[in-house]
Amino acid sequence: MTVLPEHERSNPYSAYGAHGSVLVMNSGSSSLKYQLVNPVGGEAIAAGTIERIGESNGVIKHRFAGNTTTREEPVRDHAEALRIALSLFDEVGPRLADANVYAVGHRVVHGGAQFSRPVLVDDEVERQILDLAPLAPLHNPANVTGISVARELLPDVPHVAVFDTAFFSSLPEAASTYALEKETAKKYGVRRYGFHGTSHHYVSGKVARVLGRRLQDLNIIVLHLGNGASASAVRGGIAVDTSMGLTPLEGLVMGTRTGDIDPAVIFHLARNANMSIDELDDLFNKRSGIKGIAGENDFRALHDLIAAGNEDAKLALDVYIHRLRKYIGAYMAVLGRIDVIAFTAGVGENDDIVRAQVVEGLAGLGIAVDPERNAVRSKEPRVISPDWTSTLVMVVPTMEELAIARLSVEIVEETEKAGKPVTFPPAASAASAGSAEAAGSAAEPSAHAEQAEPEAPQES
């Protein structure tokens, strides 16, 4: 398969035109992450995190122009966190009034069956996202809080909700349906939804661009390996299967999560260990996975333990790799042909040992990695398989914030082109940081741009 030189590849993002920037927000249960993104060039113009919201000592970081501003102070709630973030743009830069903010894109974990694509936010959309809280009780309420506060503080800019689950709304019924009694499944929304969708969407599209191939012609397995981990089978740009299910607990072995496990383990522990539902939830989500076996879920520490002869650490990695290989085999059967296996997120992008072990012994299937190519550390997407393989193995850094920014632009443009008004609350004042009147000309992204780091996003 030919890899075109960069100068010969078409730029599909030219359609984004002269839009200035998109403010991307990710509101977690006790944190706020944000990036000001250039949707055309892909640069993170500025970025920040506010953690430990609601605790006695919050941690605030804002990055711009190569410098990081750090503070530690109490942050009462998400409203105060967002006010602090907006004040840092004014104090440290860049001023949002000068950045021509075109939209605010919000990451939302669960879109249920209602939201199969991003959507412009209004009061009804907020209510529907909150109604989905039973499917994501730790995430959707926090997402809605962030959206509500942002709409109040940035009333002159359209807000777009981008759902982790939306990319997987295309799953065929055979893949999305659990063999559970039909009426119960329907009543309580029990089905496979999938997560990390913006990452799988971005990476599969990036693969096609890097290779200079039409996405419609490619069958791709994407392995998003961070503290949370998921796999997807993507045929022609359309997701046909994914490892996570009703919640992000199903599928691959993860940092602290079990992944696939016999459901009867729940009955067994409830009956014999007298464990409550909350205790089981905590055990499966926070005290299992790599950490549950080895006592450590940082892969750098895990490799150090293995090198020191720790048998539990070795077993944990063996279990992790075994599950990954099973999913590759399953998705080979689902797709029929694999053109590319793409590793992404924190572990997938940075751990050459994991990548090598995942494909070890698969040369007979046309899958292998070249040791020298695999050992290269880079933030650039790249092929790490030898030239003779029929399936390319790639490392493709994920940029979920960029994906959210571009999807937000598309939704706003689509709304405007349809001749419908962009429905968001009217401006409270012309002096608002995001107002069109205050915007002025767009800031030049390259002047102060920081390339977004290819780190795993806040996990689902």
Side-chain angles (χ1 to χ4, degrees):
M1 189 179 295
T2 303
V3 180
L4 291 181
E6 182 69 35
H7 69 277
E8 293 183 17
R9 302 173 197 160
S10 61
N11 182 4
Y13 305 120
S14 59
Y16 291 98
H19 300 310
S21 60
V22 176
L23 180 59
V24 176
M25 293 182 50
N26 184 350
S27 298
S29 56
S30 61
S31 67
L32 171 68
K33 296 185 180 183
Y34 58 89
Q35 278 194 14
L36 186 66
V37 179
N38 171 7
V40 181
E43 302 91 352
I45 303 167
T49 58
I50 300 178
E51 299 177 315
R52 300 179 188 173
I53 296 173
E55 299 182 23
S56 59
N57 197 18
V59 179
I60 302 162
K61 294 182 180 180
H62 183 89
R63 301 191 304 275
F64 173 58
N67 299 311
T68 300
T69 300
T70 303
R71 298 177 184 170
E72 292 190 11
E73 60 187 59
V75 181
R76 185 174 58 255
D77 51 30
H78 282 78
E80 184 173 352
L82 187 54
R83 290 188 181 94
I84 291 170
L86 295 182
S87 70
L88 285 168
F89 277 107
D90 284 336
E91 295 170 21
V92 180
R95 292 182 66 247
L96 293 182
D98 300 326
N100 192 17
V101 178
Y102 184 74
V104 180
H106 298 269
R107 181 205 182 206
V108 178
V109 166
H110 217 304
Q114 292 96 310
F115 298 106
S116 59
R117 60 193 306 250
V119 64
L120 205 64
V121 176
D122 58 18
D123 292 343
E124 176 60 19
V125 167
E126 273 195 34
R127 184 193 64 76
Q128 289 179 298
I129 295 172
L130 193 57
D131 285 346
L132 292 168
L135 295 174
L138 295 179
H139 296 93
N140 272 39
N143 297 156
V144 170
T145 298
I147 291 172
S148 179
V149 171
R151 289 177 67 207
E152 176 186 343
L153 296 179
L154 296 170
D156 307 313
V157 184
H159 292 252
V160 178
V162 179
F163 301 91
D164 272 13
T165 51
F167 183 58
F168 298 115
S169 63
S170 61
L171 295 182
E173 286 192 339
S176 65
T177 303
Y178 290 115
L180 181 68
E181 189 271 325
K182 181 178 179 180
E183 293 306 316
T184 299
K186 182 177 180 180
K187 182 176 180 179
Y188 295 102
V190 179
R191 52 158 288 179
R192 180 180 305 284
Y193 292 101
F195 298 87
H196 296 148
T198 49
S199 178
H200 289 272
H201 179 202
Y202 173 83
V203 169
S204 53
K206 186 69 172 180
V207 163
R209 171 157 163 71
V210 169
L211 298 179
R213 296 284 302 274
R214 295 195 328 151
L215 182 57
Q216 299 94 312
D217 297 334
L218 295 174
N219 285 356
I220 304 170
I221 293 177
V222 178
L223 301 176
H224 176 109
L225 308 180
N227 193 47
S230 58
S232 68
V234 183
R235 179 186 292 123
I238 305 299
V240 295
D241 209 344
T242 189
S243 57
M244 287 181 167
L246 173 75
T247 76
L249 180 60
E250 188 181 2
L252 303 177
V253 175
M254 302 175 224
T256 63
R257 301 178 199 151
T258 62
D260 293 338
I261 192 168
D262 182 350
V265 172
I266 296 173
F267 316 146
H268 174 75
L269 293 176
R271 290 167 179 154
N272 295 286
N274 296 316
M275 296 184 75
S276 68
I277 291 296
D278 288 342
E279 289 172 327
L280 288 164
D281 190 327
D282 182 73
L283 173 66
F284 281 27
N285 278 292
K286 298 179 181 178
R287 296 190 285 121
S288 296
I290 294 290
K291 186 174 184 178
I293 300 172
E296 177 62 67
N297 61 308
D298 184 305
F299 272 70
R300 292 163 296 190
L302 187 72
H303 291 311
D304 289 342
L305 288 171
I306 293 171
N310 187 298
E311 291 298 323
D312 287 340
K314 183 179 183 303
L315 176 61
L317 184 60
D318 288 345
V319 172
Y320 182 87
I321 298 295
H322 181 75
R323 186 75 55 82
L324 273 165
R325 289 165 63 88
K326 284 179 65 176
Y327 268 90
I328 289 174
Y331 289 169
M332 288 180 72
V334 168
L335 292 170
R337 180 196 82 246
I338 308 176
D339 298 305
V340 179
I341 297 174
F343 287 89
T344 194
V347 175
E349 294 168 26
N350 299 304
D351 198 319
D352 57 312
I353 296 173
V354 165
R355 295 193 299 258
Q357 290 192 14
V358 166
V359 303
E360 185 177 351
L362 301 183
L365 299 173
I367 304 171
V369 296
D370 178 274
E372 290 186 7
R373 293 175 179 176
N374 187 39
V376 171
R377 296 297 296 269
S378 172
K379 294 183 178 181
E380 296 299 317
R382 59 201 183 275
V383 174
I384 61 171
S385 49
D387 295 338
W388 58 262
T389 56
S390 56
T391 297
L392 292 181
V393 181
M394 299 181 66
V395 178
V396 181
T398 189
M399 293 177 66
E400 288 192 89
E401 292 84 0
L402 177 57
I404 291 171
R406 287 174 172 165
L407 289 166
S408 298
V409 169
E410 289 176 5
I411 291 299
V412 175
E413 281 195 335
E414 185 179 295
T415 303
E416 292 174 338
K417 288 177 181 178
K420 299 176 182 178
V422 179
T423 55
F424 56 95
S429 72
S432 172
S435 71
E437 292 83 356
S441 60
E444 179 61 40
S446 60
H448 303 290
E450 295 180 346
Q451 187 64 37
E453 298 175 2
E455 60 187 13
Q458 179 175 311
E459 298 297 348
S460 301

